[in-house]
Amino acid sequence: MHKSEISASMMCSDLIDLKETIRIFEEEGIEFLHIDMMDGNFVPNFGLGVDYVRGLRKLTQIPLDIHLMVKDPEYKFQWIGIQSSDTVSIHYESTFQVQRALDYLEPFGCKRFLAINPATPVSALEEVLEYIDGINLLMVNPGFAGQKIVPSTMRKAQKVANLLKREGKDNIIIEVDGNITPENARKLRAIGASRFVAGTSAIFKGELNEYKQNIITFRNNIE
């Protein structure tokens, strides 16, 4: 099984405390900063933008886990300033040409993940396993933080793990995103997930001075 990793959802962070939040994350060894980019079209919300990403890179060397919830993402990669240390997730549902979009990502040297919504069947992954480094399994319908997990996605996570085992693709990372509480994370870790998007249900709870203990508690549930 892959080493467990935390991807902190920056959409849930308070801009006023951003520098101090990043300092805590660096001290606690947070592996990724999760960046939700939303266009108001593919999902009914607007998210973090390219200027936010540029500013964040000046604050820290923590790699970015960029989640593109945008329509036709393959035509927008050049805007973002993708680096080879980044992970970039595109949605299966966001483009008619999934394989082409994944091909367009290859020159950036980043890890390529394919995200799927709760209602998208696991079979959608079968024809693109050769193109991806990971699967971003949405446990809620994307667009807004603070939602409750879609119950069927727990069974779906097991289906994804079974697919990867059957196809001999254990090298592919399973990332889970949406209402990843410590309890849900523990269950998903047992299934085979290894990257956990942690937001208001996990590390951004309470006051800033509580984040460190929140991270410790969360990590204890995924190791």
Side-chain angles (χ1 to χ4, degrees):
M1 186 181 289
H2 296 275
K3 176 182 177 293
S4 62
E5 300 171 321
I6 297 175
S7 186
S9 180
M10 300 309 293
M11 184 171 72
C12 303
S13 66
D14 188 335
L15 284 176
I16 295 173
D17 298 321
L18 185 58
K19 282 188 177 181
E20 182 63 15
T21 298
I22 294 296
R23 185 190 66 78
I24 294 169
F25 288 172
E26 290 176 340
E27 287 182 354
E28 293 303 315
I30 291 291
E31 285 84 4
F32 291 91
L33 301 180
H34 191 81
I35 310 298
D36 287 307
M37 289 190 165
M38 299 180 275
D39 63 359
N41 186 1
F42 178 65
V43 292
N45 196 4
F46 293 98
L48 305 175
V50 293
D51 289 335
Y52 180 90
V53 168
R54 289 193 195 102
L56 201 57
R57 291 198 194 277
K58 294 177 182 178
L59 289 179
T60 184
Q61 296 298 310
I62 299 176
L64 303 187
D65 182 22
I66 300 170
H67 180 191
L68 294 177
M69 289 175 273
V70 302
K71 187 171 175 56
D72 298 323
E74 60 267 39
Y75 303 116
K76 296 156 188 174
F77 296 149
Q78 296 290 344
W79 304 352
I80 301 167
I82 297 168
Q83 297 185 1
S84 60
S85 58
D86 296 338
T87 297
V88 179
S89 293
I90 65 167
H91 268 265
Y92 174 84
E93 309 87 359
S94 69
T95 174
F96 290 114
Q97 300 290 343
V98 175
Q99 290 171 327
R100 180 178 66 186
L102 291 166
D103 277 340
Y104 281 12
L105 263 184
E106 188 174 15
F108 294 95
C110 60
K111 296 294 185 184
R112 298 179 292 175
F113 280 33
L114 188 64
I116 55 172
N117 286 338
T120 299
V122 171
S123 59
L125 300 167
E126 293 184 19
E127 302 304 325
V128 294
L129 294 178
E130 300 294 333
Y131 294 79
I132 60 176
D133 302 292
I135 296 161
N136 185 357
L137 185 60
L138 272 290
M139 313 299 285
V140 301
N141 287 296
F144 296 92
Q147 300 181 67
K148 292 297 182 184
I149 197 168
V150 176
S152 63
T153 56
M154 281 290 186
R155 297 192 302 274
K156 188 175 183 180
Q158 185 64 66
K159 291 179 182 178
V160 171
N162 292 345
L163 169 66
L164 297 181
K165 184 176 181 180
R166 184 174 72 244
E167 297 296 326
K169 294 293 184 181
D170 294 335
N171 60 308
I172 292 179
I173 293 167
I174 299 175
E175 178 174 30
V176 286
D177 184 355
N179 194 215
I180 307 301
T181 64
E183 296 76 18
N184 288 336
R186 184 172 65 251
K187 295 173 185 176
L188 289 160
R189 178 61 170 165
I191 290 170
S194 61
R195 188 179 298 184
F196 301 86
V197 179
T200 54
S201 302
I203 59 177
F204 291 98
K205 295 190 298 183
E207 301 299 323
L208 183 67
N209 60 11
E210 298 176 73
Y211 288 3
K212 180 175 181 177
Q213 185 57 53
N214 291 345
I215 294 167
I216 293 170
T217 299
F218 191 82
R219 204 177 285 283
N220 286 339
N221 280 272
I222 61 173
E223 290 185 339

